[in-house]
Structure formats: structure tokens, C-alpha cells
Amino acid sequence: MDSKDFAAFITDLVNESPLNRAPEIGLVIYSNPLVGIASAHDPLFTRLKEPEIVGSHYLTPTEWLPEAETVISYFLPYSPEVRQANYNGDLPAREWLYGRVEGEAFNDAVRRMLVAEVQSKGGLALAPLHDARYKTVKKRSNWSERHTAYISGLGTFGLGKSLITELGCAGRFGSVVVNWKIEPTPRTYTGVYDNCTMCGECIPRCPVGAITVNGKDIWTCSRYLDEIKVRYAPRYGCGKCQTAVACEYSVPGR
Ligand code: B12
Ligand code: SF4
Ligand code: SF4
């Protein structure tokens, strides 16, 4: 399987799985995905152990799976319905709350199905997010889906910290590590923030002022999400900084 085969596999799941739907509110959660491929031996993975990038607790692909050769990273862009519902007001739209919670359940299913597909063809595969060693220390996980996507050629970070892909930033990422050698996706950027124009549109979108010209304060964002969790349990989310902004649907200026 190559990157096109993996994209077709995930596209089928997006179009056919009932988990990509919230029938009680008539919602399709995601549109068709993007897939990027990285070599498990890309030196950038080891650099993520540096304290200013992720930290020493970060585990590289071969630490997750000693036989690892490749990392498959994908972006599931939210459907226009999820995005547009979140345009108005300071509180998250019902569609966004479903996108966060039911949407991550679908993302978990995609990770599991990818692992099963590779294993059914005799390969080895592992989704770090489903491994017993997966943990988050001070809001930094030992496997970062966005850094994986960056290394896999899917896009770069933005001022508000979202990863901006060719299909924008409003959506979710997943990844699996496999023992097959697959041609990596070329990175069309060199800088961590190349896809962000620093237009500042995400700054006033944040209801709690977590984003400034200097970047995002993760603790302010996190406290707000905790409040939202109490109010909308069992769902939560916000994502105002990913909707009604220049990088919502594409890399701005392209
Ligand atoms: C913990 C967490 C949070 C924390 C904050 C995390 C953080 N540190 O930013 C809180 C609770 C605040 C949070 C909030 C949200 N989250 Co969140 N979160 C995570 C989680 C579980 C781990 C993130 C992590 O470990 N980050 C690691 C740190 C180090 O990242 P960082 O600080 O941004 O990295 C910087 C440095 O590395 C620096 N840097 C310095 N030198 C260098 C050199 C190089 C080479 C590189 C690459 C970088 C670099 O650049 C980076 C950007 O500034 C991930 C899932 C996962 N396991 O990946 C989801 C995830 C990041 N969240 C996501 C989402 C959608 C959200 C929310 C919108 C909530 C919602 N769903 O409504 C908000 C806001 C997101 C935003 N704008 O960033 C998505 C991101 C989607 C996207 N397009 O980017 C993720 C990837 C989940 C997923 N499966 O898709 N989240
Ligand atoms: S809205 Fe503008 S400044 Fe904010 S992340 Fe997107 S491109 Fe960057
Ligand atoms: S998710 Fe909401 S609270 Fe967090 S930075 Fe984005 S707009 Fe602000």
C-alpha cells in the first residue's frame, strides 16, 4: 500500500462508516481526508525530544514499534456544516461539540482499522494513541499528532498553534506506525510557521483572549475547555480559532 491506497482506504471510511455521522442532529462530521507519509527514521522525530520542541518524554516511531519503517499521518477535515455552525457567538456550536467527541471516536476507529488493515496483509502496525505507554505531561503528549503531521508533509503550525494543511486547520489528526517501507511525502516547507501569514484573525476569535501576537497560552485555553466540559458534558470543545479565520479551509494566500 502507498499513500494513495491509504487515502482511498480512509476516504471509504469517511463516506461509508456510520461513525462519521451523528444522525440525532443530522450531521456528517468529516469530509475527505489528506494523507502524509514520513520515514520512521526521519531525524526530525528524534529532535522532538528537545525540551523546546516536545520534551524528553517524547517517544520516536522506533521506540513505539522497534521494526518501524514508516509513519502514516492523516487529517480529517470537518464538514462545512461543523465549521459554519461554529461561526457565531462565543460558545461552541452543538455541531462542533459532536465533532470533538463523536468525531474523535471516529478518528479512533480509523486508527484501529488502519492497524487491522496492515496486520491483515501481514504487516506490523501500532497507533501510539492506543498504546498503554501513551501519556500527556503538562499538556505535552509523548506522541504528538500535529508534529507527526508536520514531519509527514501535511502542513505547518499557525499563530494559534493549530496545524494548517492544504485543507485548512479545522479538523483532527491521527497516525499509525508501520513496518513497511513507503515513499515519504515531500515537505514543501522549511519553517515551523510557513503556512501562517500571521494575519491575526484568530486573535479576536478566542473568547478568553488565549491568543496574542506572541502565540497561544495553552493554560488559558485549557481552563476554558474545562469550563465548557462542565457546561456541555458529556461533550466539550471550542475551536473558535479554527473557524471563520483565513486558514480555516486552506493555506492562506494559496
Ligand atoms: C494536550 C492537547 C491540548 C491542550 C494544549 C496542547 C498544546 N501544548 O498546545 C489543550 C487542552 C489546551 C488543547 C486545546 C485544543 N485542542 Co488539543 N490536543 C492536545 C493533545 C492531546 C496533545 C498536544 C501536544 O502534545 N502538543 C505538544 C506541544 C509541544 O505542542 P506545541 O506547543 O503546539 O508545539 C510547539 C513547539 O514544538 C514549537 N517548536 C519549537 N521548535 C520547533 C521545531 C520544530 C521542528 C517543530 C515541528 C516545532 C517546534 O512549535 C510548536 C507550535 O508552536 C493533541 C493530541 C495529540 N496527542 O497530539 C490534541 C490536539 C493538538 N488538539 C486539537 C484540537 C482540535 C484542540 C482544540 C481546537 C479543542 C477542540 N477540539 O475544540 C483546542 C485548541 C487547539 C489549538 N489551536 O492549538 C487537535 C489539533 C488540530 C489542529 N488543526 O491543529 C489535536 C492534534 C487532536 C487531534 N487528534 O486532532 N489541546
Ligand atoms: S488566522 Fe491568520 S494568524 Fe491565525 S493561524 Fe490562521 S493564518 Fe495564522
Ligand atoms: S480553542 Fe477556543 S479557547 Fe482555545 S485558543 Fe482556540 S478559541 Fe481560544
Side-chain angles (χ1 to χ4, degrees):
M1 291 176 84
D2 61 14
S3 83
K4 280 193 188 132
D5 297 322
F6 283 109
F9 182 82
I10 303 172
T11 301
D12 283 349
L13 293 175
V14 163
N15 291 310
E16 286 160 25
S17 170
L19 291 175
N20 188 32
R21 282 167 177 70
E24 61 274 40
I25 59 166
L27 187 70
V28 173
I29 302 172
Y30 296 113
S31 302
N32 288 347
L34 290 176
V35 169
I37 304 286
S39 163
H41 309 290
D42 191 313
L44 268 184
F45 283 114
T46 307
R47 276 199 62 203
L48 300 190
K49 286 181 182 281
E50 292 173 19
E52 68 281 12
I53 307 188
V54 179
S56 58
H57 65 303
Y58 178 81
L59 298 181
T60 62
T62 49
E63 287 173 314
W64 290 103
L65 181 71
E67 301 85 351
E69 290 292 344
T70 296
V71 181
I72 300 152
S73 174
Y74 58 86
F75 176 59
L76 297 169
Y78 282 131
S79 65
E81 292 73 25
V82 172
R83 296 161 184 239
Q84 284 160 18
N86 212 33
Y87 283 3
N88 297 320
D90 277 352
L91 292 170
R94 190 178 55 161
E95 288 81 350
W96 190 272
L97 300 171
Y98 274 79
R100 169 64 186 83
V101 175
E102 278 76 358
E104 185 58 12
F106 174 73
N107 193 7
D108 274 333
V110 174
R111 292 183 184 104
R112 274 197 303 277
M113 307 262 227
L114 278 174
V115 168
E117 178 69 7
V118 174
Q119 288 173 342
S120 75
K121 293 186 157 59
L124 296 174
L126 178 147
L129 258 79
H130 295 171
D131 191 274
R133 291 168 292 168
Y134 176 71
K135 62 178 182 184
T136 302
V137 180
K138 296 186 182 157
K139 306 284 176 207
R140 289 177 165 223
S141 298
N142 59 355
W143 182 255
S144 165
E145 298 288 18
R146 282 182 301 192
H147 290 74
T148 305
Y150 177 90
I151 297 171
S152 306
L154 281 179
T156 83
F157 290 85
L159 177 69
K161 294 236 179 184
S162 301
L163 199 94
I164 305 170
T165 73
E166 296 296 330
L167 294 177
C169 66
R172 300 187 68 79
F173 292 89
S175 58
V176 298
V177 180
V178 302
N179 73 332
W180 291 339
K181 270 195 182 150
I182 306 174
E183 186 63 27
T185 308
R187 285 193 288 273
T188 56
Y189 41 81
T190 50
V192 175
Y193 300 100
D194 281 5
N195 286 355
C196 173
T197 57
M198 298 291 161
C199 66
E201 283 185 19
C202 49
I203 296 174
R205 288 290 292 153
C206 180
V208 286
I211 306 173
T212 66
V213 288
N214 300 317
K216 190 184 96 168
D217 178 43
I218 57 167
W219 303 102
T220 305
C221 170
S222 181
R223 274 194 302 274
Y224 180 64
L225 288 172
D226 287 343
E227 286 169 29
I228 293 285
K229 230 175 230 174
V230 173
R231 187 167 176 156
Y232 293 99
R235 295 186 183 80
Y236 73 105
C238 168
K240 295 291 173 183
C241 54
Q242 300 185 343
T243 47
V245 290
C247 54
E248 177 188 353
Y249 276 103
S250 60
V251 176
R254 264 191 226 159

